[in-house]
Amino acid sequence: GAGVSQSPSNKVTEKGKDVELRCDPISGHTALYWYRQSLGQGLEFLIYFQGNSAPDKSGLPSDRFSAERTGGSVSTLTIQRTQQEDSAVYLCASSLLGLNTQYFGPGTRLTVL
Amino acid sequence: DQQVKQNSPSLSVQEGRISILNCDYTNSMFDYFLWYKKYPAEGPTFLISISSIKDKNEDGRFTVFLNKSAKHLSLHIVPSQPGDSAVYFCAAKNGAGSYQLTFGKGTKLSVIP
């Protein structure tokens, strides 16, 4: 079956602009995660969605970051008023409820000029 | 404060020999550990995992060893193949009911033909 997909694969934007990144999880996976990987760093947890429960936003670095998940499937990560330090690869993952293994998408490389 | 550390940023191994990738952690509440492999421009791919109640898990050429007292785990690849060349991330999960993965910064493995 299809894996996790993300779009766009690359995004270049100017400082101060808003961006939206999209994630389509594996069909049937109820849990969805966003991470980001800055240059030379490990993956940093951002936010977690599980079914209809309130998301865990504890990893979001600032209030410029928000995410939603519509209909328990597709998720959008929005970064408002982008800054150069937001430049990173943004990775989405999904998993079945109760299982430990998360499956990752290919990521969106965001470059803020 | 890095809770998961991969102290070797890179490793070169001859084809056919053993590759040993190491990972140390500081949080004694971690109860599940995973290794992911990442090729350039792709998302991390799940490789192998181990629960904290075990000290070894084997899957084909890949074996993960866990030493809880030393808070250390390692991934052994035998025999190493050129296609194994990638960045390997160690990740850990914190306790039952948790879902966040805490990642190390990765080790770049190069298998030389």
Side-chain angles (χ1 to χ4, degrees):
Chain A
V4 177
S5 61
Q6 293 185 245
S7 62
S9 55
N10 279 285
K11 177 72 177 178
V12 180
T13 190
E14 293 179 348
K15 178 181 171 182
K17 302 280 190 184
D18 299 351
V19 296
E20 281 190 357
L21 313 178
R22 177 188 167 106
C23 171
D24 280 274
I26 293 172
S27 177
H29 280 192
T30 55
L32 186 148
Y33 316 77
W34 283 96
Y35 293 84
R36 75 174 174 182
Q37 185 182 15
S38 302
L39 190 64
Q41 302 297 313
L43 278 71
E44 172 191 10
F45 168 79
L46 297 177
I47 188 169
Y48 161 74
F49 293 91
Q50 174 54 54
N52 295 322
S53 302
D56 176 355
K57 304 179 182 179
S58 60
L60 295 179
S62 78
D63 59 7
R64 296 186 295 104
F65 287 73
S66 62
E68 62 178 24
R69 188 179 185 191
T70 53
S73 182
V74 171
S75 177
T76 303
L77 177 70
T78 301
I79 310 173
Q80 296 179 309
R81 305 180 304 280
T82 52
Q83 304 294 311
Q84 288 182 333
E85 61 262 29
D86 300 334
S87 296
V89 176
Y90 288 81
L91 291 153
C92 175
S94 69
S95 72
L96 288 167
L97 175 63
L99 293 188
N100 293 304
T101 303
Q102 299 176 18
Y103 296 89
F104 284 82
T108 294
R109 180 174 296 277
L110 174 66
T111 303
V112 182
L113 302 177
Chain B
D1 179 28
Q2 256 195 297
Q3 297 188 63
V4 177
K5 298 179 184 178
Q6 294 178 256
N7 291 319
S8 298
S10 63
L11 174 68
S12 289
V13 172
Q14 206 72 32
E15 180 179 4
R17 306 294 290 268
I18 183 171
S19 294
I20 300 176
L21 297 112
N22 293 304
C23 178
D24 295 292
Y25 62 96
T26 57
N27 189 339
S28 58
M29 298 303 293
F30 286 148
D31 69 341
Y32 199 81
F33 303 88
L34 307 91
W35 283 94
Y36 283 83
K37 171 175 158 179
K38 186 180 184 300
Y39 293 119
E42 295 184 11
T45 303
F46 170 72
L47 198 55
I48 192 169
S49 61
I50 188 167
S51 165
S52 60
I53 62 173
K54 296 189 174 182
D55 55 18
K56 178 183 175 181
N57 187 26
E58 192 172 352
D59 183 2
R61 297 186 296 115
F62 303 91
T63 303
V64 55
F65 295 92
L66 176 62
N67 182 334
K68 282 182 64 178
S69 61
K71 294 190 178 68
H72 177 83
L73 66 156
S74 60
L75 173 67
H76 293 211
I77 306 173
V78 183
S80 302
Q81 299 173 353
D84 296 329
S85 297
V87 177
Y88 290 78
F89 290 97
C90 171
K93 190 178 74 68
N94 185 351
S98 175
Y99 39 77
Q100 282 188 38
L101 292 180
T102 301
F103 283 82
K105 292 186 177 182
T107 296
K108 183 176 182 180
L109 173 66
S110 300
V111 180
I112 305 161

